[in-house]
Each structure stands twice: as structure tokens, then as C-alpha cells.
Amino acid sequence: MSSLLPSTLRAIRHRHPTFTSIHRHTRYTHSTSTAKHTAQPDPIEWLPLPRSVSPRKALMLLSLPIPPKHWPSHLEMASPLLASASAQLKGKGIAVNAIYDGIGTQPTFEKEESYEARVFWPDGHSRVYDKLDSRILSSDSLLSDLEYTSKSLDVMDSEGKGVREILVCTHGSRDCRCSDRGDPLVDALREEIVRRGVEEKVKVREIAHVGGHKYAANIILLPSLDMLSNLTLEHAPSIISHVLSPTPPTQSKLWAHWRGRYGLTEEEQAQVWERINPDNDKTAVRQGTPAGGIEREEVELKFKTFEGELKVVRAKVGSNLLDVGKENDLPSLEGVCGGNLECATCHLYLPSSPSSGSAPISEPTEEEDDMLGYALGYRDGESRLGCQIPVTKELGEWCKNGGVIGLPRF
Ligand code: FES
């Protein structure tokens, strides 16, 4: 890996004292890279990456004029346009997120929102809307544009045509790890770009919560839509080289940081990962996904929507309640982070029932408990995260005897 100039490194560490203390103790523990140990304790434990991001077919980015330091932890609560775009396009399989490209200093959202919006598909296809507002969001022309489906798993023009972008998650109000590790990386990338004189070829922007705070620093590359994680500022030179001229997996250690690719299904991401790292453990693609081909027993589960509608569905034993929600199109179960305990958008309620008592489920782990703090409409003793609740025969029995799983409003 090429390295940052020592003076650059010193200057960035000086500007980000939090990062200095973290970085000094950094140890790399990717299964695919050689471990480097220090004599110091490790405040960061690099976690194995899931190699699959939440499956969507494209990514829409709204350019906000508000710097990330003013972003609240849940942007959708402050931006009705972002909230409607996320809700409306979810059904079309489009993920929506916000970025800041350094233009604008507004501290708050305006009443009449209108932002530049760009949509990227993993084969390099893209669309730009100069001023996306609520009217354009529901226009037939935009909805028909978004019907596009990628023709390939990879960007076709991979040989350096067009501007490359690096989107770094610095959403510190959502989780301080994202700004503690993302901010210095932004600085290091920008300085490296200037040092190489490639300002016209590579741009660095900041992006809101991408899921997986524990893997920070997280970045998304455009136009490939690859997500890379577990990064530090010292990866800046390798990242710039990578986006300017993508290298085959065998020639770049950066591929060990590949976490997944937006716009692809889990199976397609598994294919990409197999090409990147043929020796990979294919079962690591998604936590909780059982091996294929095994016929599993089914049980009947009862859900009640926030509006009171009862939904009775068949569910495979061994899957989880988020999977069941998605398979049956149950409202309000989004699962943005793909079951990685990073979003709380799979929140639901498991209240005690007068006829069948408490739901037969284990206590939440500390991690689930932490994430439940972000659940909208949290109810003590009832709120749980669907991605963490396995479907069991006992849960089927509980529903049979009167237990009903509640769905939240959002
Ligand atoms: S899907 Fe994100 S926490 Fe459950």
C-alpha cells in the first residue's frame, strides 16, 4: 500500500485528536489480510465484514446544502422530502440517501425542499434530476426512469472514464465512530487528491448513515457502488489508486475491505465476492441466512399492523421475523442494514398475550438493546428487532394460542 506523507499524517492527526488515539492502536484483523499487531491494547476491534449490503437495485443520492455537522441522527425526521423519497422508492427497490458535496452552509432544512438528485445502477447507468421536489418525486417520468434494471453486475466503463466519487460516511450524530473515523479519512483523501493533481478526476463527498457503524470508516465508490469498510486515513492513497484504476483482486489488498455492492441481490453480491476472493466462506454473505436447498418446516404466525389489520402468514422455521416480513410484504419492516444490528428499521412488538403469555423468545443481547434505543415508537418490554428473532415452532404455538406480533407505525 502506498502511504501518506508523514507531514500529511501528522497534520491530519493534529486536526482530529480523537482519531489519533484510535489510530495509534489500530490492528488489522481481516481474515484475508495479514495481521499487524501493536504492543498497545486495541480500542477498535475490526470485525469480519458481511460481504453483502442490503439488496436494492439502485441508489439515489440527494445533495443537501446542509453540512454533516448539522445533520440530526435520523435525517428523515428533519427532511420530509428524504422521508417521502425513501418510503416511495423502497417499493421500487431503490435505496435513498443524502450527501454533502461541500456546497452550502445552511444549518437547517427549508420548508420547500428541492435538491439535486442522482440515481446510480451497478452497471454504470445513472440519471440526474437538477431539482427534485415532492412534485417531481411522484411524476410519471421519474417513476418510469426508475424502472430501469441493471444489465450487468459490473460497471462497464471501468477504465477511468468520467469523474469517480468517494462517499465517506461522516454521520457522527448517528454514531460517533462514523465521524471519528470518517472525518480524518475525508481530509486524507482530499489531500492525496491535491498531491496527485487529480482534482478533476476524483471527488470526495460526505454521505449520511450507510449502516454498519461498527465497520467505520465506511465508504461507497461511484460509479461502481462498491462499499468498502474498516478503513483508516492511511488507506487514502490506496483508495485513490483504486478508483482511478481498479486493480484485479490479487493485486490490491483493498479488496479485503469490500463489504458489498449496492444495486445487487444477495446472490449477485455472493457471485462478485466469489470473483474477488475465490477462497471465501460463502456462508458469510448474510448473517442468519440458512444454507440453500434444505426444506424447512413451516409455522403460522400472526401479525397486526399499526392500523389494526390482522395478517396471518406462513413462516419457515429457522428464518427470522424480518425475513418473514419481507417475504410477505408486511408494512413497516424495512431492514435497511440487512440484519446487521445497525438500523432498528426491523422494529416490532412482541407483547404478552392474555391467553398464551409472554412470547417464547430469548432476552435481547446488549447490541440489540443498544439499537432498540433508535426504534421509533419504542415500548418497554415489547419492542424487539425482527432480524434478531428466529422463527421457531414455539413461536408458532404461541401465535396459535393467541399471541400476535405487532407492527409499528413507521
Ligand atoms: S435489520 Fe437493521 S437492525 Fe434489524
Side-chain angles (χ1 to χ4, degrees):
M1 173 167 78
S2 50
S3 49
L4 287 167
L5 294 174
S7 54
T8 306
L9 202 50
R10 260 198 312 277
I12 295 171
R13 283 176 172 168
H14 184 70
R15 285 201 297 273
H16 301 279
T18 323
F19 181 81
T20 305
S21 62
I22 291 169
H23 185 78
R24 226 183 250 145
H25 310 299
T26 295
R27 169 173 84 170
Y28 301 93
T29 55
H30 305 292
S31 54
T32 48
S33 62
T34 314
K36 265 195 237 165
H37 296 274
T38 71
Q40 314 261 18
D42 288 316
I44 298 178
E45 190 179 339
W46 295 122
L47 298 164
L49 295 171
R51 316 299 182 187
S52 174
V53 295
S54 188
R56 297 290 169 92
K57 68 176 206 180
L59 175 64
M60 174 184 271
L61 298 170
L62 304 187
S63 293
L64 303 184
I66 303 168
K69 66 177 178 195
H70 297 305
W71 291 353
S73 68
H74 288 74
L75 273 175
E76 299 82 2
M77 310 269 289
S79 164
L81 184 62
L82 183 61
S84 340
S86 304
Q88 257 173 260
L89 302 185
K90 181 180 150 195
K92 298 214 161 286
I94 315 277
V96 181
N97 205 336
I99 60 168
Y100 178 67
D101 51 17
I103 299 167
T105 53
Q106 261 178 246
T108 52
F109 288 85
E110 283 183 349
K111 226 170 167 193
E112 297 295 320
E113 290 182 284
S114 161
Y115 309 118
E116 182 194 67
R118 298 178 297 151
V119 191
F120 296 87
W121 283 260
D123 62 354
H125 181 75
S126 63
R127 303 293 297 193
V128 181
Y129 304 90
D130 291 339
K131 286 188 173 163
L132 183 90
D133 56 18
S134 52
R135 190 182 53 80
I136 295 176
L137 184 60
S138 22
S139 68
D140 289 345
S141 64
L142 178 130
L143 296 176
S144 105
D145 286 352
L146 299 183
E147 292 300 335
Y148 179 83
T149 300
S150 282
K151 299 186 171 38
S152 157
L153 300 187
D154 302 298
V155 175
M156 298 303 187
D157 71 335
S158 58
E159 277 316 304
K161 280 188 235 144
V163 176
R164 308 277 141 170
E165 291 177 53
I166 303 165
L167 312 176
V168 184
C169 178
T170 57
H171 199 163
S173 61
R174 188 72 179 252
D175 189 303
C176 62
R177 287 170 287 187
C178 298
S179 51
D180 285 352
R181 301 176 202 168
D183 288 344
L185 180 58
V186 167
D187 280 3
L189 287 165
R190 290 194 171 135
E191 295 194 18
E192 184 65 12
I193 286 169
V194 172
R195 190 178 76 78
R196 296 196 197 188
V198 291
E199 293 94 326
E200 297 310 313
K201 291 186 177 161
V202 187
K203 305 281 178 202
V204 176
R205 320 214 193 266
E206 294 175 68
I207 187 165
H209 174 62
V210 295
H213 325 286
K214 58 190 175 194
Y215 308 122
N218 293 303
I219 66 173
I220 295 173
L221 303 179
L222 296 178
S224 71
L225 292 179
D226 282 324
M227 186 188 279
L228 306 181
S229 296
N230 285 345
L231 295 165
T232 74
L233 68 83
E234 286 184 328
H235 291 106
S238 306
I239 295 168
I240 302 292
S241 301
H242 180 87
V243 296
L244 283 172
S245 172
T247 42
T250 46
Q251 289 170 29
S252 169
K253 287 211 170 97
L254 210 56
W255 286 111
H257 297 261
W258 191 83
R259 188 166 135 208
R261 182 171 295 165
Y262 270 94
L264 302 185
T265 63
E266 285 182 0
E267 291 70 29
E268 289 168 337
Q269 291 180 82
Q271 286 174 37
V272 172
W273 178 235
E274 194 164 353
R275 287 203 316 250
I276 291 170
N277 175 21
D279 300 327
N280 76 84
D281 171 7
K282 296 186 185 87
T283 60
V285 168
R286 177 156 173 206
Q287 292 170 9
T289 302
I294 300 169
E295 276 300 318
R296 287 174 303 169
E297 198 173 330
E298 287 193 347
V299 293
E300 198 168 82
L301 296 183
K302 290 182 190 140
F303 289 83
K304 195 187 260 182
T305 68
F306 188 77
E307 291 72 28
E309 191 187 344
L310 190 67
K311 306 242 181 202
V312 181
V313 303
R314 305 288 301 167
K316 290 196 173 67
V317 170
S319 62
N320 64 52
L321 293 186
L322 172 64
D323 291 331
V324 176
K326 291 195 156 188
E327 272 159 27
N328 294 281
D329 223 10
L330 299 177
S332 317
L333 286 180
E334 200 176 352
V336 170
C337 75
N340 286 315
L341 270 180
E342 293 291 343
C343 71
T345 58
C346 59
H347 171 220
L348 37 70
Y349 304 112
L350 284 141
S352 275
S353 134
S355 50
S356 59
S358 319
I361 50 175
S362 54
E363 289 296 307
T365 60
E366 214 178 301
E367 267 191 309
E368 185 186 343
D369 235 4
D370 282 354
M371 199 39 61
L372 277 169
Y374 292 96
L376 297 176
Y378 173 82
R379 290 184 202 152
D380 205 18
E382 294 187 9
S383 285
R384 294 297 298 262
L385 296 179
C387 66
Q388 303 301 307
I389 310 292
V391 176
T392 57
K393 285 197 230 168
E394 292 73 22
L395 196 62
E397 278 301 304
W398 179 74
C399 284
K400 199 165 155 189
N401 294 323
V404 179
I405 302 160
L407 295 168
R409 186 172 195 174
F410 302 107

